[in-house]
Amino acid sequence: MPNINEIANSAKENASKLGIKKFDIYGSTVDETSVQVDQGEPKQVKASNRSGVTVRVWNEENTMGVTSTTDVDPKGLELALKTAYEASFFGVKENVPDFSPEATVPIPNTHKEKAPQAPVAELINSLILAEKELLAAHQAIQGVPYNGLAQRDIDRFYLNSEGATRTESHSLASIFLYSKTEEEGKKPRSGSAFRIERSVNNLDINGCIKETAEKTISHLNYEKIKSGKYRVVFSPDAFLSLLGAFSNLFNAQSILDNQSLSNADDLGKQIASPLLSVYDDSLHPANVGAESFDGEGTPTRQVSLIENGVLKSFLHSAGTAKRMNTQPTGNASIGAKVSISPNFYHVFAATSPEQDLSLDTAENVILIDDLQALHAGVKSLQGSFSLPFDGWLVNKGVKTSIESATVAGDFLELLKSIVYVDKEAELTPGGVCPKIWVDQLSITGE
Protein backbone atom coordinates (compact mmCIF):
# COMPACT_ATOMS: atom_id res chain seq x y z
CA MET A 1 0.00 0.00 0.00
CA PRO A 2 1.37 3.48 -0.81
CA ASN A 3 2.17 5.59 2.24
CA ILE A 4 -0.40 7.93 3.76
CA ASN A 5 1.10 11.12 2.31
CA GLU A 6 1.03 9.69 -1.21
CA ILE A 7 -2.61 8.64 -0.77
CA ALA A 8 -3.55 12.04 0.72
CA ASN A 9 -1.88 14.00 -2.11
CA SER A 10 -3.36 11.72 -4.76
CA ALA A 11 -6.85 11.99 -3.19
CA LYS A 12 -6.66 15.81 -3.04
CA GLU A 13 -5.52 16.06 -6.67
CA ASN A 14 -8.26 13.73 -7.91
CA ALA A 15 -10.93 15.43 -5.77
CA SER A 16 -9.89 18.83 -7.10
CA LYS A 17 -10.00 17.49 -10.68
CA LEU A 18 -13.52 16.10 -10.10
CA GLY A 19 -14.73 19.27 -8.33
CA ILE A 20 -15.21 17.43 -5.01
CA LYS A 21 -14.76 19.72 -2.00
CA LYS A 22 -15.58 17.39 0.91
CA PHE A 23 -14.42 13.78 1.34
CA ASP A 24 -12.75 11.43 3.78
CA ILE A 25 -10.94 8.08 3.45
CA TYR A 26 -10.36 5.30 5.96
CA GLY A 27 -8.10 2.39 5.05
CA SER A 28 -6.25 -0.58 6.49
CA THR A 29 -3.94 -3.33 5.38
CA VAL A 30 -3.44 -6.64 7.21
CA ASP A 31 -0.53 -8.95 6.47
CA GLU A 32 -1.32 -12.30 8.12
CA THR A 33 0.16 -15.79 8.38
CA SER A 34 -1.67 -18.59 10.18
CA VAL A 35 -1.14 -22.32 10.59
CA GLN A 36 -3.17 -25.31 11.82
CA VAL A 37 -1.95 -28.83 12.49
CA ASP A 38 -3.53 -32.28 12.76
CA GLN A 39 -1.88 -35.33 14.35
CA GLY A 40 1.64 -33.97 13.96
CA GLU A 41 1.20 -32.78 10.36
CA PRO A 42 0.47 -29.32 8.95
CA LYS A 43 -3.27 -29.18 8.17
CA GLN A 44 -3.53 -25.66 6.82
CA VAL A 45 -1.06 -22.87 6.12
CA LYS A 46 -2.51 -19.53 5.08
CA ALA A 47 -0.82 -16.29 4.15
CA SER A 48 -2.83 -13.27 3.11
CA ASN A 49 -2.42 -9.58 2.48
CA ARG A 50 -5.76 -7.81 2.72
CA SER A 51 -6.11 -4.11 2.11
CA GLY A 52 -9.04 -1.85 1.51
CA VAL A 53 -10.22 1.72 1.74
CA THR A 54 -13.63 3.26 2.34
CA VAL A 55 -14.22 6.59 0.59
CA ARG A 56 -17.02 8.98 1.59
CA VAL A 57 -17.93 12.01 -0.54
CA TRP A 58 -20.39 14.84 0.22
CA ASN A 59 -21.96 16.78 -2.64
CA GLU A 60 -23.12 20.42 -2.84
CA GLU A 61 -26.48 19.46 -1.27
CA ASN A 62 -24.57 17.86 1.65
CA THR A 63 -25.82 14.33 1.02
CA MET A 64 -23.20 11.60 1.20
CA GLY A 65 -22.12 8.65 -0.94
CA VAL A 66 -19.85 5.76 0.09
CA THR A 67 -17.75 3.30 -1.86
CA SER A 68 -15.11 0.71 -0.93
CA THR A 69 -12.11 -0.39 -2.97
CA THR A 70 -8.90 -2.36 -2.60
CA ASP A 71 -7.19 -0.23 -5.23
CA VAL A 72 -5.41 2.82 -3.75
CA ASP A 73 -3.23 3.85 -6.67
CA PRO A 74 -4.18 7.24 -8.25
CA LYS A 75 -6.48 5.65 -10.87
CA GLY A 76 -8.25 3.51 -8.25
CA LEU A 77 -8.74 6.50 -5.95
CA GLU A 78 -10.09 8.64 -8.78
CA LEU A 79 -12.65 5.95 -9.64
CA ALA A 80 -13.63 5.52 -5.96
CA LEU A 81 -14.11 9.29 -5.48
CA LYS A 82 -16.13 9.52 -8.70
CA THR A 83 -18.36 6.54 -7.73
CA ALA A 84 -18.93 7.89 -4.20
CA TYR A 85 -19.80 11.33 -5.62
CA GLU A 86 -22.37 9.80 -7.99
CA ALA A 87 -23.82 7.74 -5.11
CA SER A 88 -24.08 10.84 -2.92
CA PHE A 89 -27.15 12.05 -4.85
CA PHE A 90 -29.02 8.98 -3.60
CA GLY A 91 -27.82 9.39 0.02
CA VAL A 92 -30.00 9.90 3.09
CA LYS A 93 -31.42 13.37 3.63
CA GLU A 94 -31.81 13.15 7.44
CA ASN A 95 -29.03 12.78 10.01
CA VAL A 96 -26.36 12.80 7.30
CA PRO A 97 -23.01 11.61 8.74
CA ASP A 98 -20.38 14.32 9.02
CA PHE A 99 -16.68 14.62 9.91
CA SER A 100 -15.86 13.98 13.53
CA PRO A 101 -15.21 17.29 15.34
CA GLU A 102 -12.17 15.51 16.87
CA ALA A 103 -10.65 14.19 13.61
CA THR A 104 -7.97 16.87 13.69
CA VAL A 105 -7.29 16.80 17.47
CA PRO A 106 -3.60 15.90 17.90
CA ILE A 107 -2.90 12.51 19.47
CA PRO A 108 0.46 11.35 20.83
CA ASN A 109 2.71 9.55 18.36
CA THR A 110 1.39 6.00 18.33
CA HIS A 111 3.63 4.52 15.66
CA LYS A 112 4.61 1.23 17.27
CA GLU A 113 7.52 -0.84 16.03
CA LYS A 114 6.21 -3.90 14.22
CA ALA A 115 7.50 -7.20 15.55
CA PRO A 116 9.62 -9.28 13.15
CA GLN A 117 7.50 -12.03 11.55
CA ALA A 118 8.49 -15.57 12.51
CA PRO A 119 9.16 -18.05 9.65
CA VAL A 120 6.22 -20.32 8.77
CA ALA A 121 8.31 -23.42 9.62
CA GLU A 122 8.75 -22.07 13.15
CA LEU A 123 4.97 -21.56 13.53
CA ILE A 124 4.26 -25.11 12.35
CA ASN A 125 6.91 -26.66 14.64
CA SER A 126 5.67 -24.70 17.68
CA LEU A 127 2.08 -25.82 17.06
CA ILE A 128 3.06 -29.46 16.41
CA LEU A 129 4.96 -29.47 19.73
CA ALA A 130 1.98 -27.90 21.52
CA GLU A 131 -0.35 -30.56 20.09
CA LYS A 132 2.10 -33.33 21.08
CA GLU A 133 2.34 -32.04 24.67
CA LEU A 134 -1.43 -31.83 24.97
CA LEU A 135 -1.91 -35.40 23.70
CA ALA A 136 0.70 -36.61 26.21
CA ALA A 137 -0.94 -34.77 29.14
CA HIS A 138 -3.57 -37.53 29.68
CA GLN A 139 -4.41 -40.81 27.97
CA ALA A 140 -8.04 -39.69 27.55
CA ILE A 141 -7.05 -36.71 25.35
CA GLN A 142 -7.34 -38.13 21.85
CA GLY A 143 -7.12 -35.06 19.68
CA VAL A 144 -6.74 -31.31 19.37
CA PRO A 145 -9.36 -30.78 16.63
CA TYR A 146 -9.25 -26.98 16.74
CA ASN A 147 -5.94 -25.17 16.95
CA GLY A 148 -4.25 -22.20 15.39
CA LEU A 149 -1.15 -20.06 15.62
CA ALA A 150 -1.29 -16.73 13.79
CA GLN A 151 0.72 -13.53 13.40
CA ARG A 152 -0.39 -10.33 11.73
CA ASP A 153 0.88 -6.84 10.93
CA ILE A 154 -1.78 -4.14 10.79
CA ASP A 155 -1.53 -0.64 9.25
CA ARG A 156 -4.44 1.83 9.48
CA PHE A 157 -5.01 5.40 8.32
CA TYR A 158 -7.67 8.10 8.16
CA LEU A 159 -7.62 11.37 6.23
CA ASN A 160 -10.14 14.01 5.23
CA SER A 161 -10.40 17.14 3.09
CA GLU A 162 -10.11 19.38 6.16
CA GLY A 163 -6.52 18.30 6.74
CA ALA A 164 -6.94 15.38 9.17
CA THR A 165 -4.29 12.68 8.74
CA ARG A 166 -3.89 9.76 11.11
CA THR A 167 -1.82 6.62 10.76
CA GLU A 168 -0.69 3.78 13.02
CA SER A 169 0.80 0.28 12.85
CA HIS A 170 1.08 -2.67 15.20
CA SER A 171 1.73 -6.42 15.28
CA LEU A 172 -0.25 -9.21 16.95
CA ALA A 173 0.31 -12.92 17.52
CA SER A 174 -2.16 -15.41 18.97
CA ILE A 175 -2.53 -19.10 19.76
CA PHE A 176 -5.73 -21.11 20.32
CA LEU A 177 -5.90 -24.73 21.52
CA TYR A 178 -9.02 -26.91 21.94
CA SER A 179 -8.57 -30.52 23.01
CA LYS A 180 -11.11 -33.34 23.12
CA THR A 181 -11.31 -36.60 25.08
CA GLU A 182 -12.63 -40.05 24.19
CA GLU A 183 -13.26 -42.65 26.88
CA GLU A 184 -15.32 -45.82 26.56
CA GLY A 185 -18.84 -45.42 27.93
CA LYS A 186 -18.35 -41.70 28.53
CA LYS A 187 -19.29 -38.54 26.69
CA PRO A 188 -16.48 -36.66 24.91
CA ARG A 189 -15.24 -33.72 27.02
CA SER A 190 -13.24 -30.69 25.94
CA GLY A 191 -11.26 -27.69 27.10
CA SER A 192 -9.70 -24.68 25.42
CA ALA A 193 -7.39 -21.73 26.03
CA PHE A 194 -6.20 -18.65 24.16
CA ARG A 195 -3.19 -16.33 24.38
CA ILE A 196 -2.40 -13.08 22.58
CA GLU A 197 0.80 -11.00 22.46
CA ARG A 198 2.65 -8.52 20.26
CA SER A 199 4.93 -11.18 18.73
CA VAL A 200 5.25 -14.97 18.47
CA ASN A 201 8.44 -14.84 20.58
CA ASN A 202 6.51 -13.39 23.53
CA LEU A 203 3.53 -15.76 23.31
CA ASP A 204 2.97 -17.86 26.45
CA ILE A 205 2.50 -21.11 24.51
CA ASN A 206 3.34 -23.29 27.55
CA GLY A 207 0.73 -21.48 29.65
CA CYS A 208 -1.85 -22.08 26.91
CA ILE A 209 -1.00 -25.81 26.78
CA LYS A 210 -1.17 -26.13 30.57
CA GLU A 211 -4.53 -24.32 30.84
CA THR A 212 -6.07 -26.38 28.01
CA ALA A 213 -4.88 -29.66 29.58
CA GLU A 214 -6.05 -28.73 33.10
CA LYS A 215 -9.51 -27.68 31.90
CA THR A 216 -9.93 -30.81 29.74
CA ILE A 217 -8.80 -33.21 32.50
CA SER A 218 -11.03 -31.46 35.07
CA HIS A 219 -14.08 -32.35 32.94
CA LEU A 220 -13.36 -36.11 32.78
CA ASN A 221 -15.26 -37.14 35.92
CA TYR A 222 -18.57 -35.42 35.32
CA GLU A 223 -21.89 -35.69 37.12
CA LYS A 224 -25.46 -34.63 36.51
CA ILE A 225 -26.74 -31.60 38.38
CA LYS A 226 -30.18 -30.94 39.88
CA SER A 227 -32.16 -28.08 38.36
CA GLY A 228 -32.68 -25.11 40.64
CA LYS A 229 -31.44 -21.70 41.76
CA TYR A 230 -27.70 -21.47 42.44
CA ARG A 231 -25.06 -18.92 43.27
CA VAL A 232 -23.09 -18.67 40.01
CA VAL A 233 -19.51 -17.52 39.42
CA PHE A 234 -18.81 -16.37 35.86
CA SER A 235 -15.28 -16.73 34.51
CA PRO A 236 -13.91 -13.49 32.97
CA ASP A 237 -14.46 -14.90 29.46
CA ALA A 238 -18.05 -15.98 30.22
CA PHE A 239 -19.02 -12.64 31.77
CA LEU A 240 -17.54 -10.63 28.89
CA SER A 241 -19.36 -12.90 26.39
CA LEU A 242 -22.63 -12.00 28.10
CA LEU A 243 -21.74 -8.30 28.33
CA GLY A 244 -20.90 -8.32 24.60
CA ALA A 245 -24.20 -10.02 23.74
CA PHE A 246 -26.10 -7.19 25.47
CA SER A 247 -23.79 -4.35 24.35
CA ASN A 248 -26.83 -2.51 22.89
CA LEU A 249 -27.17 -1.28 26.50
CA PHE A 250 -24.34 1.21 25.86
CA ASN A 251 -24.70 1.72 22.09
CA ALA A 252 -25.96 5.23 21.25
CA GLN A 253 -26.99 4.19 17.71
CA SER A 254 -29.07 1.29 19.08
CA ILE A 255 -30.70 3.69 21.56
CA LEU A 256 -31.59 6.19 18.80
CA ASP A 257 -32.97 3.30 16.70
CA ASN A 258 -35.04 2.02 19.68
CA GLN A 259 -33.08 -1.24 19.55
CA SER A 260 -31.59 -1.13 23.04
CA LEU A 261 -32.27 -2.13 26.63
CA SER A 262 -31.51 1.52 27.57
CA ASN A 263 -32.96 4.84 26.57
CA ALA A 264 -31.42 8.31 26.54
CA ASP A 265 -32.89 9.16 29.98
CA ASP A 266 -31.24 6.21 31.73
CA LEU A 267 -27.91 8.00 32.31
CA GLY A 268 -27.38 8.37 36.05
CA LYS A 269 -29.65 5.43 36.90
CA GLN A 270 -28.54 2.51 39.07
CA ILE A 271 -28.56 -0.44 36.66
CA ALA A 272 -26.17 -2.80 38.44
CA SER A 273 -24.81 -3.73 41.86
CA PRO A 274 -22.73 -0.90 43.43
CA LEU A 275 -19.84 -3.39 43.42
CA LEU A 276 -19.49 -3.23 39.61
CA SER A 277 -17.65 -0.77 37.36
CA VAL A 278 -17.23 -1.23 33.59
CA TYR A 279 -15.07 0.90 31.28
CA ASP A 280 -14.50 0.71 27.55
CA ASP A 281 -10.77 1.41 27.35
CA SER A 282 -9.02 0.86 24.03
CA LEU A 283 -5.80 2.30 25.47
CA HIS A 284 -5.66 -0.07 28.47
CA PRO A 285 -2.03 -1.30 28.92
CA ALA A 286 -3.17 -4.92 28.60
CA ASN A 287 -4.75 -4.33 25.18
CA VAL A 288 -2.00 -5.48 22.82
CA GLY A 289 -4.11 -4.56 19.78
CA ALA A 290 -4.84 -1.04 21.04
CA GLU A 291 -6.04 1.41 18.39
CA SER A 292 -5.57 5.13 18.96
CA PHE A 293 -8.34 6.31 16.59
CA ASP A 294 -11.57 4.92 15.17
CA GLY A 295 -12.93 4.75 11.61
CA GLU A 296 -13.94 8.43 11.71
CA GLY A 297 -10.52 9.58 12.96
CA THR A 298 -11.80 10.25 16.51
CA PRO A 299 -9.15 9.50 19.17
CA THR A 300 -10.03 6.47 21.31
CA ARG A 301 -10.14 6.92 25.08
CA GLN A 302 -11.27 5.50 28.39
CA VAL A 303 -15.08 5.67 28.59
CA SER A 304 -16.78 5.03 31.94
CA LEU A 305 -19.92 3.01 31.10
CA ILE A 306 -20.92 1.80 34.57
CA GLU A 307 -19.48 3.38 37.72
CA ASN A 308 -20.44 1.85 41.10
CA GLY A 309 -23.44 0.28 39.35
CA VAL A 310 -24.61 3.62 37.85
CA LEU A 311 -24.95 3.99 34.05
CA LYS A 312 -22.55 6.83 33.25
CA SER A 313 -22.28 7.13 29.46
CA PHE A 314 -22.90 5.59 26.05
CA LEU A 315 -20.57 4.75 23.16
CA HIS A 316 -20.84 7.32 20.37
CA SER A 317 -19.97 8.03 16.76
CA ALA A 318 -19.70 11.64 15.54
CA GLY A 319 -23.33 11.44 14.33
CA THR A 320 -24.89 10.02 17.51
CA ALA A 321 -22.86 12.44 19.66
CA LYS A 322 -24.24 15.40 17.68
CA ARG A 323 -27.81 14.13 17.99
CA MET A 324 -27.45 13.53 21.73
CA ASN A 325 -25.47 16.75 22.34
CA THR A 326 -22.27 15.14 23.59
CA GLN A 327 -18.77 14.15 22.41
CA PRO A 328 -17.86 11.17 20.17
CA THR A 329 -16.03 8.42 22.08
CA GLY A 330 -13.87 6.79 19.38
CA ASN A 331 -16.04 3.70 18.82
CA ALA A 332 -17.22 4.21 15.23
CA SER A 333 -16.46 2.31 12.04
CA ILE A 334 -17.40 3.86 8.70
CA GLY A 335 -19.31 2.30 5.85
CA ALA A 336 -22.68 2.72 4.16
CA LYS A 337 -23.95 3.19 7.71
CA VAL A 338 -21.70 4.22 10.59
CA SER A 339 -21.70 1.46 13.21
CA ILE A 340 -20.63 1.59 16.84
CA SER A 341 -18.91 -1.15 18.83
CA PRO A 342 -16.94 -1.49 22.08
CA ASN A 343 -13.13 -1.51 21.82
CA PHE A 344 -11.83 -3.28 24.95
CA TYR A 345 -13.75 -3.84 28.19
CA HIS A 346 -12.18 -3.18 31.59
CA VAL A 347 -14.36 -4.64 34.37
CA PHE A 348 -13.34 -4.18 38.00
CA ALA A 349 -14.61 -4.01 41.60
CA ALA A 350 -15.91 -0.53 42.32
CA THR A 351 -15.93 -0.78 46.12
CA SER A 352 -14.74 -3.18 48.79
CA PRO A 353 -17.49 -5.74 49.51
CA GLU A 354 -18.75 -6.45 53.02
CA GLN A 355 -17.39 -10.00 52.78
CA ASP A 356 -14.66 -11.65 50.74
CA LEU A 357 -15.83 -14.71 48.80
CA SER A 358 -13.56 -17.52 47.62
CA LEU A 359 -14.01 -20.74 45.66
CA ASP A 360 -11.85 -22.41 48.34
CA THR A 361 -14.53 -21.91 51.00
CA ALA A 362 -17.78 -21.47 49.02
CA GLU A 363 -20.29 -24.32 49.17
CA ASN A 364 -22.17 -25.62 46.11
CA VAL A 365 -21.55 -22.73 43.74
CA ILE A 366 -21.48 -23.15 39.98
CA LEU A 367 -18.40 -21.91 38.14
CA ILE A 368 -19.26 -21.18 34.50
CA ASP A 369 -16.16 -21.31 32.31
CA ASP A 370 -17.59 -20.97 28.82
CA LEU A 371 -21.03 -19.96 27.49
CA GLN A 372 -22.23 -21.49 24.23
CA ALA A 373 -24.83 -20.79 21.52
CA LEU A 374 -24.87 -17.03 22.20
CA HIS A 375 -26.22 -16.45 18.67
CA ALA A 376 -29.34 -18.50 19.45
CA GLY A 377 -29.86 -18.26 23.21
CA VAL A 378 -29.77 -14.47 23.67
CA LYS A 379 -32.78 -12.18 23.15
CA SER A 380 -30.84 -8.93 23.19
CA LEU A 381 -33.90 -6.64 23.01
CA GLN A 382 -35.80 -8.46 25.77
CA GLY A 383 -32.72 -8.83 27.96
CA SER A 384 -33.24 -12.57 28.46
CA PHE A 385 -30.83 -15.45 27.87
CA SER A 386 -30.83 -19.24 28.09
CA LEU A 387 -27.42 -20.70 27.32
CA PRO A 388 -25.68 -24.08 27.56
CA PHE A 389 -22.35 -23.87 29.38
CA ASP A 390 -19.19 -25.73 30.38
CA GLY A 391 -18.47 -25.54 34.06
CA TRP A 392 -18.13 -27.14 37.46
CA LEU A 393 -20.01 -27.48 40.73
CA VAL A 394 -17.51 -26.20 43.33
CA ASN A 395 -17.75 -27.24 46.97
CA LYS A 396 -15.02 -25.91 49.31
CA GLY A 397 -12.43 -25.88 46.54
CA VAL A 398 -13.38 -29.30 45.10
CA LYS A 399 -14.49 -28.98 41.46
CA THR A 400 -16.88 -31.52 39.90
CA SER A 401 -17.54 -31.16 36.19
CA ILE A 402 -21.19 -30.69 35.20
CA GLU A 403 -22.37 -33.16 32.56
CA SER A 404 -24.59 -30.69 30.73
CA ALA A 405 -26.74 -27.76 31.85
CA THR A 406 -28.08 -24.38 30.82
CA VAL A 407 -28.11 -21.06 32.67
CA ALA A 408 -31.05 -18.70 32.16
CA GLY A 409 -32.02 -15.28 33.38
CA ASP A 410 -32.54 -11.61 32.67
CA PHE A 411 -29.35 -9.62 32.06
CA LEU A 412 -30.45 -6.46 33.90
CA GLU A 413 -31.54 -8.58 36.88
CA LEU A 414 -28.19 -10.39 36.74
CA LEU A 415 -26.29 -7.07 36.94
CA LYS A 416 -28.26 -6.12 40.07
CA SER A 417 -27.70 -9.58 41.63
CA ILE A 418 -23.88 -9.36 41.60
CA VAL A 419 -22.69 -10.13 45.16
CA TYR A 420 -18.93 -10.12 44.63
CA VAL A 421 -16.32 -9.03 42.09
CA ASP A 422 -12.97 -10.80 42.43
CA LYS A 423 -9.91 -8.63 43.02
CA GLU A 424 -7.72 -10.40 40.46
CA ALA A 425 -8.48 -9.69 36.81
CA GLU A 426 -7.61 -11.84 33.79
CA LEU A 427 -6.88 -10.89 30.19
CA THR A 428 -9.33 -12.31 27.62
CA PRO A 429 -9.77 -11.56 23.88
CA GLY A 430 -12.54 -9.06 24.76
CA GLY A 431 -10.96 -7.25 27.67
CA VAL A 432 -9.74 -7.42 31.25
CA CYS A 433 -12.16 -8.84 33.79
CA PRO A 434 -12.22 -10.68 37.15
CA LYS A 435 -14.58 -13.50 38.15
CA ILE A 436 -18.11 -12.21 38.80
CA TRP A 437 -20.33 -13.78 41.50
CA VAL A 438 -24.11 -13.65 40.96
CA ASP A 439 -26.85 -14.79 43.35
CA GLN A 440 -29.80 -17.00 42.52
CA LEU A 441 -29.56 -17.82 38.82
CA SER A 442 -31.69 -20.55 37.26
CA ILE A 443 -29.74 -23.67 36.27
CA THR A 444 -31.42 -26.46 34.34
CA GLY A 445 -29.65 -29.81 34.56
CA GLU A 446 -30.37 -33.01 32.67
Side-chain angles (χ1 to χ4, degrees):
M1 182 182 267
N3 73 40
I4 178 110
N5 293 326
E6 288 170 13
I7 294 169
N9 291 334
S10 176
K12 281 169 189 160
E13 281 170 24
N14 283 310
S16 171
K17 195 162 69 178
L18 295 164
I20 294 167
K21 290 187 174 60
K22 187 175 176 179
F23 67 89
D24 68 0
I25 301 174
Y26 171 82
S28 67
T29 177
V30 181
D31 193 1
E32 182 171 22
T33 312
S34 64
V35 299
Q36 285 175 277
V37 300
D38 184 25
Q39 300 295 335
E41 295 291 330
K43 179 184 173 186
Q44 194 175 60
V45 179
K46 283 199 296 192
S48 64
N49 186 293
R50 307 184 299 278
S51 61
V53 296
T54 300
V55 178
R56 302 192 296 181
V57 170
W58 286 259
N59 62 28
E60 298 75 13
E61 294 160 20
N62 202 38
T63 55
M64 186 197 76
V66 184
T67 190
S68 296
T69 179
T70 55
D71 189 359
V72 288
D73 65 15
K75 268 274 169 251
L77 274 177
E78 183 182 1
L79 185 60
L81 285 161
K82 194 164 180 271
T83 309
Y85 180 71
E86 288 166 359
S88 69
F89 293 96
F90 302 95
V92 293
K93 300 277 195 293
E94 287 179 11
N95 301 315
V96 180
D98 205 345
F99 291 162
S100 166
E102 298 189 14
T104 50
V105 171
I107 44 180
N109 179 24
T110 55
H111 189 81
K112 298 190 185 86
E113 287 298 314
K114 286 188 197 165
Q117 293 251 346
V120 172
E122 189 184 311
L123 300 184
I124 293 168
N125 290 337
S126 298
L127 202 52
I128 285 172
L129 282 171
E131 182 192 45
K132 192 177 172 184
E133 277 190 51
L134 260 179
L135 292 172
H138 197 282
Q139 68 269 21
I141 299 176
Q142 294 297 304
V144 188
Y146 305 111
N147 60 70
L149 180 54
Q151 58 185 359
R152 62 186 72 89
D153 287 342
I154 301 162
D155 296 283
R156 306 167 61 242
F157 74 86
Y158 172 85
L159 60 90
N160 69 27
S161 52
E162 285 183 356
T165 51
R166 304 225 189 267
T167 179
E168 71 178 356
S169 311
H170 58 270
S171 298
L172 287 176
S174 60
I175 183 168
F176 174 73
L177 299 169
Y178 175 101
S179 58
K180 208 160 188 181
T181 68
E182 280 177 33
E183 287 185 298
E184 202 170 322
K186 286 193 162 189
K187 291 182 179 178
R189 308 298 276 165
S190 61
S192 65
F194 175 87
R195 294 288 187 276
I196 186 165
E197 254 303 341
R198 287 192 169 86
S199 70
V200 173
N201 292 341
N202 296 334
L203 262 184
D204 180 15
I205 296 176
N206 288 332
C208 194
I209 296 165
K210 193 175 169 210
E211 187 185 335
T212 307
E214 282 174 0
K215 278 187 186 175
T216 309
I217 294 162
S218 73
H219 284 305
L220 287 173
N221 298 315
Y222 55 83
E223 289 180 15
K224 286 179 166 45
I225 190 172
K226 285 181 183 170
S227 299
K229 296 267 189 183
Y230 288 84
R231 177 168 281 188
V232 172
V233 182
F234 286 93
S235 74
D237 210 18
F239 184 74
L240 288 184
S241 297
L242 212 49
L243 193 64
F246 292 101
S247 63
N248 66 40
L249 191 63
F250 316 114
N251 188 315
Q253 189 61 60
S254 300
I255 290 160
L256 289 167
D257 293 343
N258 293 319
Q259 298 288 305
S260 173
L261 292 173
S262 310
N263 61 58
D265 299 327
D266 285 343
L267 288 179
K269 282 188 183 170
Q270 190 84 29
I271 65 158
S273 157
L275 299 171
L276 183 75
S277 284
V278 179
Y279 288 176
D280 178 65
D281 189 3
S282 177
L283 304 176
H284 191 284
N287 185 11
V288 294
E291 294 181 342
S292 61
F293 60 90
D294 70 0
E296 297 182 310
T298 305
T300 55
R301 67 205 67 189
Q302 185 188 80
V303 184
S304 170
L305 299 172
I306 297 174
E307 192 97 47
N308 294 76
V310 175
L311 184 63
K312 282 290 186 184
S313 49
F314 303 129
L315 301 178
H316 285 281
S317 65
T320 62
K322 188 177 178 184
R323 289 171 68 185
M324 294 175 83
N325 197 26
T326 185
Q327 292 298 108
T329 57
N331 293 84
S333 55
I334 67 172
K337 184 178 181 182
V338 174
S339 59
I340 297 169
S341 57
N343 289 321
F344 187 85
Y345 285 120
H346 177 204
V347 179
F348 58 97
T351 54
S352 296
E354 290 172 18
Q355 54 173 349
D356 279 350
L357 300 178
S358 165
L359 290 172
D360 294 333
T361 53
E363 294 181 24
N364 291 330
V365 299
I366 287 179
L367 173 57
I368 292 180
D369 181 49
D370 182 41
L371 292 168
Q372 291 146 12
L374 285 134
H375 61 287
V378 166
K379 291 183 175 168
S380 59
L381 296 183
Q382 279 91 34
S384 62
F385 61 91
S386 178
L387 300 163
F389 66 87
D390 284 341
W392 304 268
L393 182 66
V394 185
N395 193 20
K396 294 182 179 175
V398 179
K399 290 161 78 174
T400 307
S401 179
I402 296 165
E403 182 176 343
S404 66
T406 58
V407 58
D410 176 273
F411 186 64
L412 291 174
E413 286 298 314
L414 178 151
L415 289 177
K416 286 178 178 165
S417 305
I418 291 171
V419 290
Y420 187 64
V421 177
D422 262 23
K423 293 181 182 72
E424 266 186 52
E426 291 173 36
L427 175 63
T428 77
V432 169
C433 181
K435 291 187 181 73
I436 306 288
W437 297 57
V438 180
D439 239 5
Q440 299 295 302
L441 272 180
S442 294
I443 303 290
T444 308
E446 284 262 301

